Amino acid sequence: MTLRPRFWETVPLSKMTQQEWEALCDGCGKCCLNKLEYEDTGEVAYTRIACRLFDGDTCQCMDYPNRKMHVPECVVLTPKTLPKIAYWMPSTCAYKLLFQKKKLPDWHPLVTGDPDSTHTRGQSIKGLTLSELDVPEDDWEDYLIEEHP
């Protein structure tokens, strides 16, 4: 994979190559968590309940290329969809940060050069999730976590 040097600092999101766009993902897995959005307040709460395709040991989707086929409600993040969904994305998400004209965190793999830095710096949900197939949706509120968008 050939990426332009420090592309995230110079290339607008809409002008990135597909490889650059995908490289922005830090692998935290937080976008794959089921969230509760309270209609009365608009507040978004994160749960430990992950998408059925999420592998909690690797923090990766088990069928990323075909995820929409298996999980129709899965959100495909693009420069066009980002403005509409950034509000519920994790505060540390590179896509959200760059959209907000902020810098990547110092632990981000693009900054460190280490693909595991998100995990080693405690910024991922690796090993902390339960599958949505194992927990009834009515019980998700029992599994709220401190993460905030």
Side-chain angles (χ1 to χ4, degrees):
M1 172 166 61
T2 305
L3 303 174
R4 291 175 276 191
R6 301 191 71 83
F7 68 89
W8 60 94
E9 296 175 338
T10 59
V11 180
L13 291 168
S14 62
K15 301 289 185 193
M16 290 182 183
T17 66
Q18 188 63 35
Q19 286 181 327
E20 290 168 339
W21 179 262
E22 294 291 335
L24 289 177
C25 178
D26 61 25
C28 75
K30 295 173 186 174
C31 60
C32 298
L33 292 175
N34 283 292
K35 296 147 197 80
L36 301 176
E37 187 171 355
Y38 298 99
E39 290 181 23
D40 52 338
T41 64
E43 179 190 2
V44 175
Y46 282 67
T47 72
R48 288 182 49 217
I49 313 303
C51 170
R52 67 194 78 117
L53 291 180
F54 185 72
D55 182 328
D57 295 326
T58 64
C59 262
Q60 294 183 356
C61 182
M62 292 185 275
D63 194 4
Y64 185 73
N66 303 304
R67 65 194 185 281
K68 286 288 285 181
M69 185 174 64
H70 302 292
V71 183
E73 66 274 18
C74 181
V75 174
V76 176
L77 187 61
T78 67
K80 191 172 184 168
T81 61
L82 184 56
K84 298 178 195 98
I85 61 175
Y87 76 95
W88 62 256
M89 297 174 72
S91 59
T92 56
C93 175
Y95 300 101
K96 182 175 186 171
L97 290 169
L98 294 178
F99 173 69
Q100 295 172 333
K101 308 289 187 225
K102 296 179 180 175
K103 293 184 176 202
L104 296 185
D106 63 357
W107 49 260
H108 192 286
L110 287 172
V111 176
T112 65
D114 176 4
D116 290 324
S117 60
T118 302
H119 309 302
T120 58
R121 297 283 288 277
Q123 298 297 320
S124 76
I125 55 166
K126 189 174 186 176
L128 301 175
T129 62
L130 301 167
S131 173
E132 66 186 5
L133 297 176
D134 299 330
V135 181
E137 191 170 346
D138 288 345
D139 294 341
W140 288 2
E141 254 187 308
D142 296 338
Y143 296 91
L144 297 180
I145 58 173
E146 291 298 314
E147 187 64 40
H148 296 285

